[in-house]
Amino acid sequence: MNSKNTSRIFVVGGTGAQGMPIVRALVADGRYAVRVLTRDTASRRAKELLALGNVSLLEGSFADEAVLREGFSSCDGAFVNIDGFNTGEKTETYWAFRAYEIALEQGIRFFVYGNLDYALKKAGFDAAFRTGHYDGKGRMGEWIRFQNQDHRERMGAAIFTSGPYIEMAISAMTPMSPAVEDGVLTWRVPLGQGAVPHVALEDCGHYVRWLFDHPNLANGMDLEVAIEHVRYADLAAAFERVTGQPARYVDTDLAAYWQGPFGRIADAPAGYNADPRDKSTMSVRDNFTGFWNVWKHDVVRRNYELLDEIHPGRIRSAEEWLRREDRLGREQGKGTLWERVQVGQQQRILKMTEDMRQGRL
């Protein structure tokens, strides 16, 4: 691989929940300039990124070869994180292929793919663990690493494998949104004694920045990240210690879970632009049944010692994150963590849910 570091990075997915802190980390010290692809340059998130400085915007869709060529041709690095809940698994797979191929064609020196665990493979190809929005990315992550064996000197590549954001555990309209029931913050999810390898969004920025800062070391790497494997009984206990307010985890079977708030979209396609008539399109119910089985049975592992080396200042526990979030909320005038988990006060951390509220899907 060309040993010269990248200086200008084309980002697909920059206005998403993960993309925002990644762009902030890339431009924080002026080392990189970033060009962000967005469907709407006038959106709140796009304007927020533009205000950072060293950021330019390209309006268009990743599902357009001409747009991808324009973005890649103006940069020498790329971070690509396609929104599978926009496209669905089938379409995401195609455009992930093409994004890699066009980046190679256009002379990108270092390519980072925003990935999720290939859960089905890690569970021994047991259909009970089939999770379309994870498997779709996971297959592509493996394909990119395979291609990298032949093209690593022409274009380096690394995989950035994240997971469910810890922010989702206190946000509205997520698979693990809590509710205040009779004055008790309550998580009702089908997790059993399992654990979720939650990821802190701000840490994502550090990890992706590290990959671009160390291209020769990162070339061919799959960097799998998390805070820790979070058991929800421990999450509830941590919330009580941080806020002084009661919290609990109620293990819920899948039938009861799908009768809850998330069940309102159970029969919708797992990808709001996916064709529900296409037999390859999973329903939200089927997709997230596999999702919860993955965590309930501890299918996914992480190398926390490696993460400590790469990011010594990383968040290492759910309690540490909750304390940080409570402090930041007070400082920013958003209220205490307890105030922010009340009905109607929970943030919508996922871009999709913000777009839904604004009628922009």
Side-chain angles (χ1 to χ4, degrees):
M1 188 189 73
N2 189 328
S3 61
K4 183 179 178 181
N5 283 9
T6 58
S7 60
R8 187 170 175 83
I9 300 171
F10 180 50
V11 174
V12 175
T15 59
Q18 183 185 124
M20 298 284 284
I22 286 173
V23 173
R24 284 197 296 268
L26 289 173
V27 302
D29 59 1
R31 168 68 182 80
Y32 300 97
V34 171
R35 192 170 195 194
V36 175
L37 178 63
T38 175
R39 289 174 295 167
D40 182 5
T41 56
S43 71
R44 176 192 67 81
R45 290 177 182 234
K47 289 179 179 178
E48 186 177 323
L49 291 177
L50 195 60
L52 294 172
N54 263 11
V55 174
S56 61
L57 303 176
L58 172 63
E59 190 166 76
S61 168
F62 60 80
D64 185 326
E65 291 196 6
V67 172
L68 290 177
R69 282 193 172 87
E70 182 177 352
F72 288 131
S73 66
S74 63
C75 297
D76 49 20
F79 175 78
V80 174
N81 185 20
I82 294 175
D83 182 1
F85 283 110
N86 172 330
T87 63
E89 179 184 3
K90 186 176 183 179
T91 300
E92 179 182 10
T93 299
Y94 174 81
W95 284 107
F97 275 125
R98 290 303 289 138
Y100 177 87
E101 292 166 347
I102 294 170
L104 191 65
E105 166 198 303
Q106 293 297 317
I108 292 294
R109 283 202 288 265
F110 197 73
F111 182 99
V112 178
Y113 176 68
N115 191 47
L116 292 168
D117 292 273
Y118 190 175
L120 182 64
K121 179 178 179 179
K122 290 185 175 182
F125 296 99
D126 183 333
F129 300 92
R130 171 91 167 84
T131 309
H133 78 288
Y134 268 64
D135 299 332
K137 285 188 181 296
R139 293 188 200 99
M140 291 310 307
E142 291 202 348
W143 181 84
I144 289 170
R145 292 183 79 193
F146 177 77
Q147 297 303 319
N148 182 248
Q149 296 175 20
D150 291 333
H151 302 293
R152 61 187 296 123
E153 297 304 321
R154 180 177 171 188
M155 181 177 80
I159 309 303
F160 175 64
T161 301
S162 61
Y165 312 136
I166 186 66
E167 288 83 356
M168 292 166 61
I170 62 165
S171 298
M173 298 180 68
T174 78
M176 59 274 297
S177 294
V180 178
E181 301 176 2
D182 298 322
V184 181
L185 185 67
T186 304
W187 286 274
R188 293 183 179 272
V189 292
L191 184 57
Q193 298 302 309
V196 180
H198 273 301
V199 176
L201 285 172
E202 288 303 316
D203 281 352
C204 290
H206 180 98
Y207 290 125
V208 172
R209 172 66 190 254
W210 183 90
L211 291 170
F212 281 107
D213 283 349
H214 302 86
N216 292 320
L217 185 61
N219 196 8
M221 174 184 282
D222 182 359
L223 180 58
E224 300 177 322
V225 307
I227 293 173
E228 66 170 342
H229 278 61
V230 180
R231 302 190 186 280
Y232 270 40
D234 296 338
L235 177 63
F239 187 90
E240 288 191 347
R241 288 192 294 270
V242 170
T243 67
Q245 300 291 339
R248 63 179 174 172
Y249 156 57
V250 179
D251 183 30
T252 306
D253 64 32
L254 282 164
Y257 177 76
W258 290 115
Q259 292 300 312
F262 204 59
R264 288 176 293 187
I265 60 170
D267 296 323
Y272 55 80
N273 282 322
D275 183 356
R277 298 166 299 180
D278 188 327
K279 294 295 185 181
S280 72
T281 299
M282 295 187 79
S283 68
V284 168
R285 184 194 310 273
D286 290 343
N287 185 84
F288 282 96
T289 293
F291 173 90
W292 284 111
N293 284 337
V294 168
W295 314 131
K296 185 173 185 175
H297 296 281
D298 289 328
V299 169
V300 168
R301 296 284 180 266
R302 292 290 185 259
N303 183 343
Y304 290 108
E305 290 184 0
L306 173 63
L307 299 182
D308 288 342
E309 291 179 17
I310 290 174
H311 188 7
R314 74 180 185 87
I315 298 169
R316 287 177 166 78
S317 70
E319 181 169 347
E320 182 182 347
W321 183 84
L322 289 168
R323 291 193 183 280
R324 175 184 175 277
E325 193 67 13
D326 186 56
R327 174 180 56 79
L328 289 175
R330 293 170 187 263
E331 292 173 355
Q332 296 168 2
K334 297 178 182 178
T336 66
L337 194 54
W338 174 248
E339 291 169 337
R340 291 162 57 200
V341 297
Q342 303 301 308
V343 175
Q345 299 302 312
Q346 293 178 9
Q347 64 179 337
R348 299 190 181 203
I349 191 68
L350 300 177
K351 182 177 184 293
M352 179 180 70
T353 60
E354 182 177 313
D355 287 347
M356 288 172 61
R357 182 173 58 185
Q358 297 171 350
R360 296 177 59 248
L361 290 183

